[in-house]
Amino acid sequence: MTGEGRERVAEAGAPFGIAEVTGVSMVPTLLHGDQLLVRYGARLRAGCVAVLRHPLQQDLLIVKRLIERRDGGWWVLGDNPDAEGDSRVFGAVPPELVLGRVWARYRPVTPGRQRSLAVTLSWLVSSVRPVRSASRRLRAR
């Protein structure tokens, strides 16, 4: 996925899936390489981070923040104002292209790093976080 991501696990009808972030459009909330726990069919509201199909290239999954409902669907933006590839480019996203809500993110364990109990606990504390909704005052830019 780019701010974007690749969906790694998504069986038809599965309530949860895992996606991987690629790109910087959701920095600082999400970083390149973050893994996401996605709840398909979850209730959506403004401020949520969601996985959706790109409206102009539907085989590409993207991760964006839902800003507000407009005629034609959701207005979505990346958290990084300098990155492109959101509703400022392609307009509102039809509701049927919004696949699910991001519930949590985690950063993978660094390869080759010692896996002692202390290191594992430190990783859990620093790397696994729920992805929270933004302020209700968030408006389209």
Side-chain angles (χ1 to χ4, degrees):
M1 281 185 204
T2 60
E4 281 169 35
R6 291 190 301 265
E7 191 172 21
R8 294 198 20 200
V9 177
E11 297 176 20
F16 290 95
I18 297 173
E20 180 181 352
V21 176
T22 60
V24 296
S25 74
M26 287 300 292
V27 169
T29 306
L30 303 172
L31 302 178
H32 178 82
D34 282 354
Q35 304 292 306
L36 306 176
L37 177 63
V38 180
R39 171 77 166 108
Y40 297 107
R43 185 170 169 253
L44 302 171
R45 65 173 197 253
C48 292
V49 176
V51 173
L52 49 133
R53 293 193 183 282
H54 193 291
L56 304 177
Q57 186 181 348
Q58 293 184 15
D59 60 336
L60 176 65
L61 298 180
I62 59 176
V63 178
K64 301 294 176 197
R65 189 170 301 279
L66 305 176
I67 302 301
E68 65 186 13
R69 293 294 300 255
R70 293 189 176 183
D71 289 337
W74 283 101
W75 190 260
V76 300
L77 295 174
D79 287 356
N80 180 351
D82 296 326
E84 295 183 359
D86 54 29
S87 287
R88 295 172 291 176
V89 173
F90 49 71
V93 177
E96 62 272 12
L97 297 182
V98 180
L99 303 178
R101 180 177 176 176
V102 174
W103 277 29
R105 67 98 174 129
Y106 67 93
R107 300 206 166 104
V109 176
T110 305
R113 191 158 179 208
Q114 180 184 4
R115 299 232 184 354
S116 68
L117 179 58
V119 168
T120 302
L121 290 174
S122 173
W123 172 81
L124 281 171
V125 169
S126 67
S127 297
V128 178
R129 296 263 192 263
V131 176
R132 301 192 190 282
S133 296
S135 166
R136 292 192 184 274
R137 295 181 290 153
L138 183 64
R139 292 289 174 240
R141 332 180 201 153

